[in-house]
Amino acid sequence: MDAAGFERWLKTTMGLDASSVGPGVVERAVAGRMRATASADAAAYWRRLLAQPLEQQELIEAVVVPETWFFRGVEAFDALARAFAPLQADGARTLRLLSLPCSTGEEPYTLAMALIDAGWAPSRLRIDAFDISQRALAKAAHAVYGANSFRGRELGYRERHFRALGHGRWQLSAQARGCVRLHRANVLDIDFLPAQANYDAVFCRNLLIYFDQDTQVRTVGVLARALAPDGLLFVGAAETGLLLSLGYASAQIPMAAAFRRQRTPPPALAAAPEPWRAPALAPLPAPRPRRAAPVARSSAPAAAAAPATSPAAAPDTSLEQARRLADHGAFDRAAELCQNHLRTHGPSAEALYLTGLIHGATGLDARAEDAFRKALYLQPDHTESLMHLALLLDAKGDAAGARLMRQRASRHRGRSG
Ligand SMILES: C[S@@+](CC[C@H](N)C(=O)[O-])C[C@H]1O[C@@H](n2cnc3c(N)ncnc32)[C@H](O)[C@@H]1O
């Protein structure tokens, strides 16, 4: 049995597209399992694999990428709390959430913390969390975390929801733990969810990037069954393009990668765009401060955002203000501040990117596209503008243009990683 055979088995069993995790990963995992099981050769290990479900789980454990951290993509959690604030105010209904895949628990526990901090009674939160990895789930159940799970500088939530155990270890509160039910499931096993799951929101982030196109489409089908008709589906920033082609519309929440089901039937699955690939084992993002606001600052180099003219003595905070206003829905005023900033300081990728986000959030897609293109003219490697432009191009049916933008983003990310 050659490496390709093991790759095929992993694809059929768990959807893994071997090319998404980088060259040699499957080969190394198989070699490691051969050593651990003292298999004489690949053929012997292959026979063992097919015969022993426990060994199958071991090989799966060896290839999964459990990378995750608390408040990863903070905008999504802020958006969720805001979207369901009316439901929170109006009484007794439980909020039903799905985190799939949940990995070592940081994502579903973040859901619990974010909503408790937004005023939800823990008894009204039901968060189901699934993952294929037993090892990740065991860690989630233990709920003790180290520094790698706390990235970013705004760690107020840690003071509120964790107890320090010493030696850099933190135990999550029983209150937040109590909101989450952990289960093992393979997203490809169609029966793992109840027929009418009806979740208010589904978080399926950073899973589709590891799948080939067929498996992505199949998984989105599973999610569709799980989501309430008006529910919100959150995916990873790199996974948005596919959803637009499968009957979902952007929920127009800047940077949250949130979608709702479209009322009109989705186009034929065959029309799905090629999946955009994150670089294999995408590099960790630089730590970012946790913000309450969903319109994210771009990771563009500071130079790109620097004033074209010599800076005044007091730092100009108008873009910061614009961002805050946009987060609170004051889009007109936010757009005005961006315009003033552009007039005063000259064009910058940062101000144009923010302008694009604001236009996008208010449905002015043509203007948003124009702003993102100008940002890219100034700074061709502005990844966020590339990704948002790709979304807009997808939405207007320009799949080839969108693919190009994603490829550019992928190239730049690869270089900066
Ligand atoms: C990168 S983590 C994502 C965790 C979290 N959603 C996040 O965005 O931080 C990917 C997880 O997907 C899980 N996974 C991979 N294939 C799966 C499958 N077929 N069914 C369920 N979970 C799967 C892995 O075990 C891993 O924990």
Side-chain angles (χ1 to χ4, degrees):
M1 177 51 56
D2 58 1
F6 289 105
E7 287 179 3
R8 268 196 305 279
W9 183 86
L10 285 164
K11 183 179 272 186
T12 322
T13 308
M14 61 176 292
L16 181 75
D17 176 1
S19 68
S20 73
V21 285
V25 167
V26 170
E27 227 167 311
R28 280 196 297 279
V30 169
R33 289 311 307 159
M34 281 174 61
R35 274 195 305 279
T37 55
S39 301
D41 54 25
Y45 179 66
W46 177 248
R47 284 192 297 279
R48 179 188 289 266
L49 181 69
L50 297 189
Q52 297 182 1
L54 282 180
E55 186 51 40
Q56 295 173 4
Q57 183 64 27
E58 286 296 343
L59 185 59
I60 288 171
E61 299 287 350
V63 295
V64 292
V65 181
E67 186 70 16
T68 185
W69 58 94
F70 291 112
F71 286 97
R72 177 181 195 176
V74 63
E75 294 84 0
F77 302 100
D78 293 329
L80 178 80
R82 268 207 300 274
F84 290 101
L87 194 62
Q88 183 215 334
D90 101 344
R93 169 132 114 62
T94 297
L95 190 62
R96 296 163 306 226
L97 304 175
L98 172 65
S99 166
L100 165 69
C102 65
S103 187
T104 40
E106 285 86 333
E107 182 177 275
Y109 291 143
T110 299
L111 290 169
M113 289 187 281
L115 291 164
I116 291 171
D117 287 350
W120 282 84
S123 58
R124 291 179 59 202
L125 299 175
R126 183 196 162 125
I127 304 166
D128 287 324
F130 293 86
D131 201 281
I132 200 171
S133 163
Q134 293 283 17
R135 226 162 269 161
L137 288 166
K139 183 166 178 209
H142 192 45
V144 172
Y145 295 94
N148 210 26
S149 299
F150 302 100
R151 304 184 196 176
R153 267 171 276 153
E154 177 56 65
L155 296 177
Y157 66 89
R158 192 167 69 182
E159 304 309 317
R160 289 191 293 280
H161 296 282
F162 288 80
R163 184 168 61 90
L165 300 178
H167 309 289
R169 317 288 297 158
W170 297 78
Q171 168 83 64
L172 182 66
S173 71
Q175 187 189 52
R177 284 207 312 267
C179 303
V180 176
R181 302 169 192 205
L182 300 161
H183 316 265
R184 184 192 175 272
N186 180 347
V187 72
L188 300 191
D189 295 340
I190 48 169
D191 292 332
F192 79 96
L193 283 172
Q196 286 305 320
N198 226 25
Y199 288 102
D200 296 301
V202 170
F203 274 61
C204 182
R205 303 190 309 164
N206 304 301
L207 176 68
L208 299 172
I209 45 172
Y210 298 109
F211 290 167
D212 68 2
Q213 188 174 337
D214 286 350
T215 317
Q216 289 174 334
V217 170
R218 207 166 132 194
T219 304
V220 174
V222 171
L223 303 179
R225 278 202 314 146
L227 194 63
D230 288 324
L232 280 173
L233 171 59
F234 292 84
V235 294
E239 299 164 327
T240 51
L242 177 80
L243 286 235
L244 292 168
S245 66
L246 291 178
Y248 285 82
S250 165
Q252 305 281 1
I253 310 172
M255 301 302 292
F259 291 82
R260 288 186 200 280
R261 242 184 273 161
Q262 272 172 348
R263 306 271 171 226
T264 46
L269 297 186
E274 296 242 315
W276 181 79
R277 287 268 164 247
L281 297 179
L284 305 185
R288 288 198 308 183
R290 154 134 174 75
R291 294 179 306 280
V295 177
R297 186 196 304 279
S298 140
S299 59
T309 53
S310 89
D316 183 335
T317 57
S318 56
L319 277 190
E320 201 54 55
Q321 280 176 34
R323 199 171 282 120
R324 268 198 300 274
L325 285 165
D327 291 343
H328 290 92
F331 294 116
D332 289 349
R333 180 77 189 110
E336 206 180 305
L337 279 185
C338 284
Q339 282 313 307
N340 287 345
H341 188 280
L342 287 164
R343 262 196 299 275
T344 315
H345 300 284
S348 68
E350 193 72 358
L352 287 161
Y353 166 65
L354 185 53
T355 305
L357 285 183
I358 292 166
H359 288 324
T362 50
L364 297 174
D365 287 359
R367 287 202 199 171
E369 182 179 335
D370 182 56
F372 290 135
R373 285 196 190 281
K374 284 180 177 152
L376 288 167
Y377 178 74
L378 290 177
Q379 194 188 326
D381 66 348
H382 197 274
T383 333
E384 289 88 346
S385 292
L386 286 167
M387 292 307 292
H388 280 269
L389 188 52
L391 268 182
L392 288 172
L393 294 177
D394 262 333
K396 67 176 199 186
D398 180 0
R403 193 157 49 241
L404 208 66
M405 293 303 143
R406 292 197 178 90
Q407 279 165 355
R408 272 176 63 182
S410 174
R411 267 202 307 277
H412 291 307
R413 283 189 184 173
R415 265 183 228 144
S416 61

